[in-house]
Amino acid sequence: MRFRIRRQAGTPVVPYPGDPAPALDEPTREPEVAEAPLSAHEIELIRASVSVVEPLAADMAVYFYAILFARHPEVRAMFPPGMDAQRGRLLRALLRIVDLVDDPENMVRFCGHLGRDHRKFGALREHFPAVGECLLDSLARYAGPAWTQDIAAAWTKAYGAVADVMISAAEQDAKTRPAVWPATIVHLVPCGNGIAEITLHPHMPYEHAAGQYVSVETPWYPKQWRSYSPANAPREDGTLTFHVRAVPGGSVSNALVHRAAVGDVVHLGAPMGGMVLDAAVHSDLLCVAGGTGLAPIRALIEEVARRGGRHQVNLFLGARTGAELYGVDDMLRMAQRHHWLTVRGAVSDEYIPGIRGSLPQVLAEYGPWYQHDAFLSGPAPMVTSARQTLMTGGTSPDRIHYDPFDIPVLTTP
């Protein structure tokens, strides 16, 4: 079963979170609209079955991986030793696919993105039937008497379409680039507050756009990938600098901040994300960053400078306390060099000279921003609240750019 694709002319391109950005010198193609492979009745059956199993979703995920590894032990090596996070990814992907089941264009984009990203795990065409078999058996077990032959047929058809898109996207991607890039740590500087500035040099050319994010695997925790945004626009020497905060309980972040050293080799997944400068329509930009969310914003500002400062940029940095107002000195130095950049810092939980309040409050005070493209990066609650503030002030939702939260490959705004 395949999605059928037709060309729809004259439709504006809106970057889809998680899609790789087009090369900067390539024209943006018109989107492709897919005709739904499922009937309205089949979509209704799938959504009804999900509503039945959703209260038992966590148990279903445990059962799914148990039977997958028991029936197909050869796939176990593709997964990390600890499976808690992986089970969550499965559920989010499944729910996202069900959410998009009547939106075939975004379904194709999302599943194509999943297929390309799964290359770094070693996923192959022959693995998909095994996963489909175990997924349907798990759904049938936890749906109980609600599971019918019609529901099974609808799920079989839907999974076949999803697998087809993922396989095709992965095989096309494999023709032009590797699945992973080894990269050596060439510079590492502790920055205080549990943050380290880490510069990597990929062993092979690594093309990315300012504002994208990159998944990283360390040698100490194989198969555990975490996403970080380079804090720089593309450089001639190919290096990438990340600002990593050690998160409590975060094995990858703590390894990078406290264990890694110059000379260690990590692995990078393909660059992802649509929060890129080419997505902007207006010449005036609003950039909002909380914590280490400054990294992709800093990269975007570097990119504006690389292009000759053709945008006016208003940057707002936010933190709870002055000590946590990360990177403000660096950005103020950039503002001294570039007349088109204005920097403001806001602190919400401490009385200090300057602007006080949360970033959404400060944005409302300094707005409106409806004639700007807005780029948001930082903690999910901050981004969500800032987005709502901007839309309330008249900013069009398609002019607000940010990348998915938590696990970017599976979660979209």
Side-chain angles (χ1 to χ4, degrees):
M1 173 58 60
R2 292 188 179 273
F3 283 104
R4 294 170 296 179
I5 307 296
R6 71 174 187 270
R7 176 75 63 187
Q8 179 168 303
T11 307
V13 174
V14 177
Y16 184 77
D19 275 353
L24 300 182
D25 57 350
E26 290 182 0
T28 305
R29 298 177 181 176
E30 292 179 331
E32 293 179 333
V33 180
E35 297 178 7
L38 302 174
S39 68
H41 179 59
E42 289 168 329
I43 291 171
E44 182 181 348
L45 289 175
I46 287 174
R47 288 187 167 156
S49 65
V50 168
S51 68
V52 172
V53 302
E54 195 166 4
L56 305 169
D59 291 338
M60 189 188 78
V62 172
Y63 178 78
F64 164 77
Y65 282 110
I67 62 174
L68 177 65
F69 296 157
R71 297 177 187 177
H72 306 280
E74 69 278 5
V75 306
R76 182 63 183 88
M78 295 167 54
F79 296 88
M83 290 294 297
D84 288 348
Q86 184 63 36
R87 295 186 190 104
R89 289 183 178 93
L90 170 70
L91 296 179
R92 278 185 285 274
L94 188 60
L95 292 174
R96 184 59 181 158
I97 288 170
V98 171
D99 188 45
L100 292 173
V101 72
D102 58 354
D103 183 0
E105 179 182 351
N106 280 330
M107 170 77 86
V108 168
R109 291 188 180 191
F110 179 71
C111 294
H113 174 68
L114 277 183
R116 290 186 293 273
D117 189 69
H118 272 62
R119 291 185 59 218
K120 70 188 181 193
F121 301 113
L124 302 173
R125 173 184 286 270
E126 53 265 29
H127 295 144
F128 283 84
V131 170
E133 164 206 323
C134 295
L135 176 62
L136 264 66
D137 285 353
S138 300
L139 288 165
R141 176 185 176 91
Y142 284 86
W147 191 257
T148 66
Q149 288 186 347
D150 287 346
I151 291 176
W155 268 104
T156 299
K157 186 176 180 181
Y159 179 81
V162 166
D164 240 12
V165 173
M166 291 180 65
I167 291 168
S168 177
E171 292 180 347
Q172 287 296 318
D173 194 57
K175 295 177 181 179
T176 58
R177 60 183 183 178
V180 298
W181 286 256
T184 299
I185 298 176
V186 295
H187 194 61
L188 194 155
V189 179
C191 300
N193 292 314
I195 299 174
E197 181 181 294
I198 302 171
T199 300
L200 308 176
H201 190 277
H203 298 182
M204 300 174 285
Y206 189 88
E207 296 183 5
H208 72 103
Q212 289 189 296
Y213 56 87
V214 176
S215 54
V216 180
E217 179 196 43
T218 70
W220 306 285
Y221 296 97
K223 307 300 180 183
Q224 291 191 26
W225 295 83
R226 297 295 180 267
S227 295
Y228 302 99
S229 296
N232 61 280
R235 297 169 175 155
E236 289 187 5
D237 65 1
T239 58
L240 302 95
T241 297
F242 297 90
H243 296 172
V244 180
R245 183 190 298 275
V247 178
S251 54
V252 174
S253 64
N254 278 276
L256 288 170
V257 173
H258 299 304
R259 186 171 180 176
V262 171
D264 288 335
V265 175
V266 300
H267 288 105
L268 308 179
M272 297 176 287
M275 196 178 76
V276 296
L277 191 59
D278 285 357
V281 169
H282 299 296
S283 60
D284 291 336
L285 307 182
L286 168 67
C287 294
V288 183
T292 52
L294 176 60
I297 299 298
R298 189 189 187 286
L300 286 167
I301 292 172
E302 275 196 9
E303 184 64 29
V304 173
R306 276 171 30 114
R307 301 189 187 189
R310 296 198 299 269
H311 297 273
Q312 292 293 318
V313 181
N314 282 273
L315 169 62
F316 287 83
L317 304 174
R320 294 177 302 165
T321 67
E324 296 176 354
L325 199 55
Y326 172 76
V328 64
D329 291 341
D330 179 38
M331 300 314 300
L332 287 172
R333 284 191 292 269
M334 290 184 72
Q336 290 173 355
R337 296 195 301 269
H338 304 299
H339 65 88
W340 42 262
L341 174 61
T342 301
V343 179
R344 299 181 179 93
V347 173
S348 60
D349 296 356
E350 182 181 24
Y351 286 96
I352 62 173
I355 304 172
R356 186 173 188 275
S358 69
L359 280 174
Q361 292 169 340
V362 172
L363 290 177
E365 178 182 348
Y366 278 81
W369 303 102
Y370 59 87
Q371 292 183 328
H372 292 66
D373 272 271
F375 293 85
L376 314 179
S377 181
M382 182 278 288
V383 172
T384 302
S385 182
R387 180 177 185 269
Q388 185 58 50
T389 297
L390 292 172
M391 289 194 299
T392 300
T395 303
S396 172
D398 62 353
R399 299 273 63 83
I400 303 175
H401 312 283
Y402 60 104
D403 273 323
F405 311 132
D406 184 23
I407 301 170
V409 71
L410 297 183
T411 318
T412 56

